[in-house]
Amino acid sequence: MTEAAPTRPGSPSLIERLSRQTGIAPSYIGARLGPHKPFPFQNAPADLIERLLVQETSFFRHAGQWAMLRNMLRGDPALSAPALRVWSTACATGEEAWSLAYLLQREGKGRSRVIGSDISPSAIATASRGRYTRLEAMGSFRDLPEFARPAFPLASGEVWDAPHTLRDMTRFCVHNVLDPMLSSELGGAADLVFCRNMLIYFTEDAINKALANIASAMRTGGILVLGASETMRENGLFEPVETASAVFWRRTGQPAVTPAPMAGAVPRP
């Protein structure tokens, strides 16, 4: 039987479907969409998914984490190779991925491969263009760390185009973290993964599935970076790195067994 299209975004069946597809908690979806608004979207649930996403990002966001990463690139054996495989998941409009490419190049690792992924095709289109304009207040270039200031805009209206040296290192793709990441996209097991400020919106089942998929894409000893407000689950897949705050996690040698599909999940092509 073909499922009838719901008439409004507050419909429980639609909220549950969106939660299964994106991992986002139903309570957040309901608050984001509102229970009594008319159904104005032409291509549900794709249009609704775009509306749910929090595309809040900037270059070198949360400077303290970038300072810790610089130190690890210079001293941690896990990140000592001249060419690293790096995955920025839930990269939104791409500033984080470009920041990683810039930092790696600056630290003498310009042969590294950076993959930025997001569930939003429109965000990935923006990221792939690699063109950003400095705004007067909040924007992509707020709170730049001192080491990056010479290379990025400081005056309102100034445009930054990703240089060819960074474009050669960086690729973007549409990807749902609830699906396994293809090793062909990463070019092999990832040495470093950024997954910041995404899990805080997820259900517990979705968190476990996302972490298992991320672990499966990483090599033993690789580093996972979470957001400052996110906590790791006790799954045996990661152990904390001794840094100023527990946001860096090292992949253990335990095999990652991807959890079974969440109950009632909508199959993806």
Side-chain angles (χ1 to χ4, degrees):
M1 177 182 294
T2 302
E3 180 181 349
T7 58
R8 58 181 59 184
S11 165
S13 61
L14 178 58
I15 288 176
E16 291 167 4
R17 182 182 177 190
L18 288 167
S19 180
R20 293 194 299 268
Q21 190 166 350
T22 65
I24 299 173
S27 58
Y28 177 83
I29 294 174
R32 188 82 169 174
L33 298 183
H36 303 299
K37 296 179 181 178
F39 192 76
F41 302 95
Q42 297 179 348
N43 187 27
D47 292 345
L48 289 174
I49 290 174
E50 290 284 347
R51 182 171 173 176
L52 290 178
L53 303 178
V54 180
Q55 304 290 4
E56 172 60 31
T57 186
S58 59
F59 285 90
F60 300 99
R61 188 181 182 199
H62 302 311
Q65 291 187 352
W66 292 95
M68 285 189 283
L69 179 58
R70 285 181 78 197
N71 291 336
M72 292 184 71
L73 288 171
R74 296 173 179 181
D76 193 301
L79 302 178
S80 62
L84 300 177
R85 288 180 291 270
V86 181
W87 179 17
S88 169
T89 184
C91 74
T93 47
E95 288 90 334
E96 180 179 272
W98 292 116
S99 298
L100 283 163
Y102 175 85
L103 179 61
L104 289 165
Q105 184 186 67
R106 184 181 174 89
E107 294 299 314
K109 299 179 184 294
R111 295 193 292 112
S112 297
R113 178 186 179 94
V114 178
I115 297 296
S117 70
D118 198 273
I119 196 174
S120 167
S122 63
I124 289 299
T126 298
S128 299
R129 284 193 293 272
R131 183 179 176 85
Y132 305 86
T133 302
R134 175 85 188 198
L135 304 178
E136 290 186 6
M138 300 293 284
S140 297
F141 302 100
R142 61 186 183 272
D143 302 324
L144 286 172
E146 193 63 36
F147 74 85
R149 286 177 175 269
F152 292 89
L154 297 177
S156 178
E158 188 177 354
V159 174
W160 183 82
D161 276 305
H164 290 297
T165 52
L166 298 189
R167 291 182 186 273
D168 288 343
M169 298 169 59
T170 311
R171 298 289 183 273
F172 294 94
C173 65
V174 176
H175 175 258
N176 186 340
V177 75
L178 299 183
D179 296 326
M181 171 55 88
L182 298 176
S183 60
S184 58
E185 289 283 1
L186 293 171
D191 303 290
L192 173 65
V193 177
F194 264 51
C195 178
R196 301 191 300 168
N197 308 311
M198 179 186 71
L199 301 181
I200 54 176
Y201 300 106
F202 274 19
T203 65
E204 201 64 28
D205 281 349
I207 290 171
N208 292 331
K209 190 172 183 66
L211 288 173
N213 284 336
I214 289 170
S216 293
M218 298 178 66
R219 68 171 179 81
T220 299
I223 301 297
L224 169 65
V225 183
L226 296 179
S229 60
E230 294 170 317
T231 56
M232 176 62 68
R233 275 43 181 183
E234 294 184 7
N235 51 28
L237 300 175
F238 298 94
E239 57 188 12
V241 176
E242 296 300 324
T243 61
S245 58
V247 294
F248 283 56
W249 298 84
R250 195 179 305 278
R251 177 72 169 96
T252 67
Q254 180 167 316
V257 179
T258 303
M262 292 178 287
V266 177
R268 298 179 188 85

